[in-house]
Amino acid sequence: MLQTVITNTDKFIASVPKSKRKRYGQFFTNVATANYMASLFHIDLSRHGLCFLDAGAGSGILSIAAIDRLINDGYKGAIHVTCYETDETILPLLKANLDLATSQYNNVSYEIIDKNYITSQAFEQDIFVPQGSNLYDYVIGNPPYMKISKDAHEAMAMPHICHGAPNLYFLFWAMGIHNLKNNQELVYIIPRSWTSGAYFKHFRRYLFNHCVITDIHLFDRRDKVFDCESVLQETMIVKVKKTTEKPNHINITSSSTSDFSDMTCFQAPYETIVNENLSVCLVTNEQDAKVLDQINHFHKTLPEMNMRMQTGIIVDFRNKEVLRDELEDGAYPLLYSQHIKDGRVIWPLGKSGEVIKTSRKGFLQENSDFLLVKRFTSKEEKRRLQCGIYLKKEYSKFIYISTQNKINFIKCDSPCMTYGLYVLLNSSLYDNYYRILNGSTQVNSTEINQMPIPEKQVIEAMGRELMHKELSVSNCNEILHKWIS
């Protein structure tokens, strides 16, 4: 039955331009992924009836996979599936596929709701809502992946979990949790972006007030998740249970093939994956877990030391009138990521626009010791954290400098501290930690500010040791290792 649904779906995909489907954030699950997601549920086969929810159901692949799993397990009770779908072009296919299930199995029934899943029902923030007719035993989903404006109807309907311009997928996920019965389970395939960062902070708080994570599946290859769809989104499968009772471990699996044939399995302590800041660290093996344990040995953060990482202040293409190519009276250095060379900031380079002349104080920073960190790197680069030391004494003739917004900066209170923070962020340990914490290529100041770091005296001691050495990763690793127990 599932293979027939997949065949029907492939025909639909071939007949509808991707540009049209993209308007709905619509990408279809393959058969192996659907079967794997359905297999994650712990189902009580002795129950007389089970209700499934599939919001953003598309052609019904996940619903059919869930039905298939129950039938193959010998379940004899009533199976009722509720599907939400608003795309008129796929509604006939969804109905035809669900009709196929009801024609083969007399214990299967379904309902299709062609209303907006988010705006057609009230969203409550209560920790555990009373059991009612709108609650489901299991929720399965591949929600739409699409950014919406902060004043979109969906965002306005769920303001308490939104920050900035949200993505539909986590609104669907939050509503799915709302619709789930207490102590029951939800399985979603979603992007990895929710695991950290300020944009998802309100959602993560809602998630962990209601649920615990029990299972995570990671895909090593971005191009193997949605066959024939050319999707390069970083995605994952996550299973949560609606309870506040945390398990001791989270089951973590990973694969690089679309058929899960090379899947590896690993268990990690719950607190290692879900940290105190409610960020989620995606480890795949014991080495990753060891990295987290080593970093979590420290208990300070940059903001606690009054050295918060910030983003560069000048958007150069919007402020061309203040840019200069060469120094003149009343002008100051404007630092870009290109000025970071082999661990140091080298200025000038003879590039256009690397000088700023302005009387606007908001465009200038007091000349100080800084550690600069590139905000953007490519997937192919070996390191995510790429740092450069800037020392005030080397540019002492300037009262001010400025920074372009494609770099982050940490204002330091001494050269020792600047070198010491370089030891941390240029080490393999912290680079690996950041890759685990954030799957994207952007270095976010919010996440750096949450990372555990040693005491100030320790950082200064590491800095003094590095001052007389080459600014290499190996030297940073050697110095840091002395302070890791």
Side-chain angles (χ1 to χ4, degrees):
M1 182 172 62
L2 182 58
Q3 190 54 56
T4 300
V5 171
I6 292 290
T7 300
N8 293 340
T9 303
D10 288 343
K11 292 178 180 178
F12 174 83
I13 292 173
S15 66
V16 178
K18 184 179 177 181
S19 59
K20 185 173 182 179
R21 290 186 285 110
K22 192 174 181 180
R23 291 205 299 267
Y24 292 91
Q26 191 178 70
F27 302 101
F28 291 94
T29 320
N30 65 37
V31 62
T33 301
N35 279 328
Y36 179 77
M37 291 174 66
S39 74
L40 288 174
F41 291 112
H42 287 126
I43 297 177
D44 182 0
L45 299 177
S46 66
R47 294 184 58 183
H48 296 297
L50 297 172
C51 296
F52 276 78
L53 171 65
D54 183 359
S59 64
I61 293 171
L62 291 175
S63 293
I64 299 299
I67 294 169
D68 250 7
R69 183 261 170 98
L70 286 169
I71 298 299
N72 291 336
D73 285 353
Y75 183 68
K76 303 299 182 183
I79 304 169
H80 184 76
V81 177
T82 299
C83 294
Y84 278 81
E85 182 56 61
T86 58
D87 180 4
E88 295 180 356
T89 62
I90 204 168
L91 280 170
L93 177 58
L94 174 61
K95 184 177 186 304
N97 288 335
L98 293 174
D99 282 341
L100 178 64
T102 58
S103 67
Q104 291 194 25
Y105 307 111
N106 57 17
N107 61 334
V108 174
S109 60
Y110 73 85
E111 176 186 15
I112 297 175
I113 301 176
D114 60 356
K115 297 178 180 178
N116 186 303
Y117 176 59
I118 303 300
T119 61
S120 63
Q121 54 182 321
F123 177 71
E124 301 293 340
Q125 282 221 97
D126 294 340
I127 296 293
F128 290 99
V129 297
Q131 304 291 0
S133 59
N134 66 325
L135 297 179
Y136 300 87
D137 300 298
Y138 302 98
V139 177
I140 193 167
N142 174 11
Y145 307 169
M146 187 168 64
K147 288 184 179 180
I148 58 175
S149 64
K150 62 183 179 181
D151 56 357
H153 294 305
E154 292 86 355
M156 298 295 286
M158 306 174 75
H160 300 296
I161 65 164
C162 294
H163 176 83
N167 196 302
L168 273 178
Y169 82 81
F170 78 79
L171 300 185
F172 269 65
W173 190 359
M175 188 63 81
I177 292 168
H178 170 68
N179 290 150
L180 186 65
K181 289 181 181 178
N182 299 338
N183 297 309
Q184 296 303 311
E185 299 170 341
L186 174 149
V187 176
Y188 259 28
I189 180 169
I190 45 170
R192 290 173 52 150
S193 51
W194 66 276
T195 58
S196 61
Y199 279 107
F200 301 91
K201 184 176 181 180
H202 297 319
F203 164 71
R204 290 196 303 274
R205 184 182 298 117
Y206 176 80
L207 169 66
F208 292 118
N209 277 344
H210 289 70
C211 298
V212 297
I213 297 175
T214 63
D215 297 78
I216 291 173
H217 182 84
L218 303 172
F219 295 95
D220 296 336
R221 294 276 301 277
R222 293 181 294 164
D223 59 345
K224 295 297 182 183
V225 182
F226 296 102
D227 289 352
C228 305
E229 289 280 55
S230 300
V231 176
L232 293 181
Q233 175 70 261
E234 294 273 2
T235 51
M236 62 188 292
I237 295 169
V238 62
K239 173 186 164 185
V240 300
K241 184 174 182 179
K242 194 168 184 178
T243 178
T244 56
E245 186 175 345
K246 296 178 182 177
N248 292 326
H249 295 87
I250 294 177
N251 301 312
I252 299 177
T253 55
S254 62
S255 64
S256 60
T257 59
S258 60
D259 61 2
F260 295 75
S261 60
D262 64 343
M263 188 167 70
T264 61
C265 305
F266 171 68
Q267 278 194 333
Y270 192 90
E271 289 76 13
T272 298
I273 306 302
V274 182
N275 62 32
E276 293 179 356
N277 297 315
L278 301 184
S279 294
V280 177
C281 299
L282 301 178
V283 307
T284 58
N285 51 52
E286 291 185 5
Q287 184 59 41
D288 286 349
K290 183 179 179 181
V291 167
L292 296 183
D293 289 340
Q294 287 178 311
I295 297 290
N296 291 336
H297 170 74
F298 301 122
H299 299 290
K300 292 293 184 179
T301 63
L302 285 170
E304 290 174 7
M305 297 183 185
N306 198 31
M307 289 187 295
R308 180 184 300 273
M309 177 178 276
Q310 301 176 66
T311 300
I313 59 179
I314 297 296
V315 181
D316 52 335
F317 67 88
R318 292 179 182 168
N319 298 282
K320 293 181 179 180
E321 73 282 358
V322 301
L323 304 185
R324 302 290 186 270
D325 296 341
E326 296 180 357
L327 271 177
E328 55 185 87
D329 289 342
Y332 305 101
L334 174 57
L335 304 179
Y336 293 74
S337 61
Q338 64 195 15
H339 291 114
I340 297 176
K341 302 283 188 182
D342 299 322
R344 298 191 183 277
V345 173
I346 306 300
W347 182 96
L349 295 176
K351 303 284 187 178
S352 62
E354 62 180 358
V355 175
I356 184 170
K357 183 175 183 179
T358 179
S359 59
R360 292 182 59 176
K361 296 300 183 182
F363 280 7
L364 299 173
Q365 302 160 241
E366 182 182 347
N367 193 8
S368 304
D369 296 324
F370 290 99
L371 184 69
L372 303 184
V373 181
K374 293 183 180 181
R375 281 186 64 203
F376 298 97
T377 55
S378 69
K379 280 287 180 185
E380 292 71 28
E381 291 187 81
K382 292 181 179 180
R383 290 190 57 83
R384 188 68 63 239
L385 300 180
Q386 299 184 23
C387 313
I389 292 172
Y390 174 93
L391 298 180
K392 174 183 178 180
K393 65 181 181 181
E394 296 176 358
Y395 301 90
S396 57
K397 67 178 180 179
F398 299 110
I399 302 173
Y400 300 106
I401 66 163
S402 192
T403 47
Q404 194 250 7
N405 81 324
K406 290 186 179 178
I407 59 172
N408 294 314
F409 65 88
I410 304 170
K411 182 179 179 181
C412 304
D413 55 16
S414 69
C416 286
M417 190 54 117
T418 310
Y419 275 90
L421 290 177
Y422 181 89
V423 171
L424 294 182
L425 298 189
N426 196 56
S427 70
S428 298
L429 182 65
Y430 271 83
D431 190 66
N432 289 337
Y433 181 89
Y434 192 81
R435 287 176 180 271
I436 294 168
L437 183 65
N438 185 315
S440 76
T441 58
Q442 181 171 337
V443 177
N444 295 313
S445 57
T446 300
E447 290 155 2
I448 297 292
N449 286 328
Q450 291 177 352
M451 295 198 315
I453 59 174
E455 299 283 345
K456 183 176 182 179
Q457 303 92 307
V458 172
I459 298 174
E460 290 174 330
M462 291 191 294
R464 281 191 290 270
E465 186 170 350
L466 182 66
M467 277 183 175
H468 309 293
K469 296 183 177 181
E470 181 185 355
L471 300 178
S472 65
V473 172
S474 59
N475 281 337
C476 292
N477 291 345
E478 181 182 346
I479 294 169
L480 179 59
H481 182 71
K482 298 175 182 178
W483 301 93
I484 298 287
S485 63

